[in-house]
Amino acid sequence: EHALLGGRRDIIVIGAAMGGLSALSKLLTGIPASFDAALLIALDLGSQPTSVVLQILRTYSRLQVSFASNNALIRRGQVLVAPPNYDMRVEQAGIVGLKRAGAFASGGPSVNVLFESAAAAYGHRVVGVVLSGASHDGTAGLSVIEAAGGVGVVENPEEAVDPSMPQSAIRGDHPDYASSLDDLAPLLISLAAGEKPSRGSFLKAGRSRNWVP
């Protein structure tokens, strides 16, 4: 069942790479078991063993965490992670599709593919989150999410292990919110409930502080 109640945003898509595993772990500690949205994650694991990554995320998460399989159902209250070397795409029917990453890709799943497909399928129900990472991946996808009526969020580049991904998103898009990791879970809980947190609670990306050189 995928009906949006009121202004709820029930599809949370997250992109991360270098430093992203620790950022995700911290984020998941703040998400309650009652969280009524689906989390879909494109995480470049680098050389980390997949079994270890899954074990770490499950340690910190109150929600069920698993690697996505082709045609897996998108369910609220669950975390689906793109498997290594595969792009994860959101399909209109409420499922995810997997496709081998291109030959020239870094080996990590494409954040833009996940973000853009989620925006096409779910529009204003989507919240896109760009965390630490050493590329520009996610910038284009975040713009598409916001153009479709969704919400764009980045991790504060000053605290990211590698600020390249959130900095790129701020330069290219000026997303709705830039958040510390401590504040990110409360922000997502508010957004998922259909609320619009005030600028006083969560700083406007690239506006309130000079995060981008």
Side-chain angles (χ1 to χ4, degrees), residues 4 21 26 35 47 74 94 131-132 147 161 171 190 192 204:
L4 184 67
L21 182 58
K26 188 165 188 177
F35 191 61
S47 60
I74 298 171
L131 300 177
S132 175
V161 172
R171 287 193 188 101
S190 295
K204 184 76 174 176

Side-chain angles (χ1 to χ4, degrees), residues 72-87:
L73 289 175
I74 298 171
R75 299 181 185 276
R76 298 192 188 104
Q78 294 187 2
V79 180
L80 282 181
V81 183
N85 305 313
Y86 281 88
D87 293 335

Side-chain angles (χ1 to χ4, degrees), residues 103-176:
F104 298 104
S106 65
S110 169
V111 178
N112 285 330
V113 167
L114 173 61
F115 282 16
E116 292 169 13
S117 62
Y122 289 108
H124 66 281
R125 294 164 61 175
V126 179
V127 178
V129 183
V130 174
L131 300 177
S132 175
S135 73
H136 295 170
D137 198 8
T139 298
L142 211 58
S143 295
V144 173
I145 286 172
E146 292 177 354
V151 176
V153 181
V154 297
E155 177 183 1
N156 176 357
E158 285 190 348
E159 69 172 33
V161 172
D162 192 313
S164 300
M165 280 173 59
Q167 277 181 344
S168 175
I170 291 173
R171 287 193 188 101
D173 179 60
H174 285 291
D176 297 293

Side-chain angles (χ1 to χ4, degrees), residues 53-115:
V53 170
L54 208 58
Q55 182 179 353
I56 290 171
L57 293 177
R58 285 173 173 168
T59 297
Y60 289 97
S61 178
R62 296 176 181 86
L63 307 177
Q64 179 182 327
V65 180
S66 60
F67 281 115
S69 57
N70 203 32
N71 297 322
L73 289 175
I74 298 171
R75 299 181 185 276
R76 298 192 188 104
Q78 294 187 2
V79 180
L80 282 181
V81 183
N85 305 313
Y86 281 88
D87 293 335
M88 179 166 64
R89 178 184 299 275
V90 176
E91 308 290 356
Q92 293 284 355
I95 61 175
V96 297
L98 299 178
K99 183 179 180 181
R100 267 231 178 248
F104 298 104
S106 65
S110 169
V111 178
N112 285 330
V113 167
L114 173 61
F115 282 16

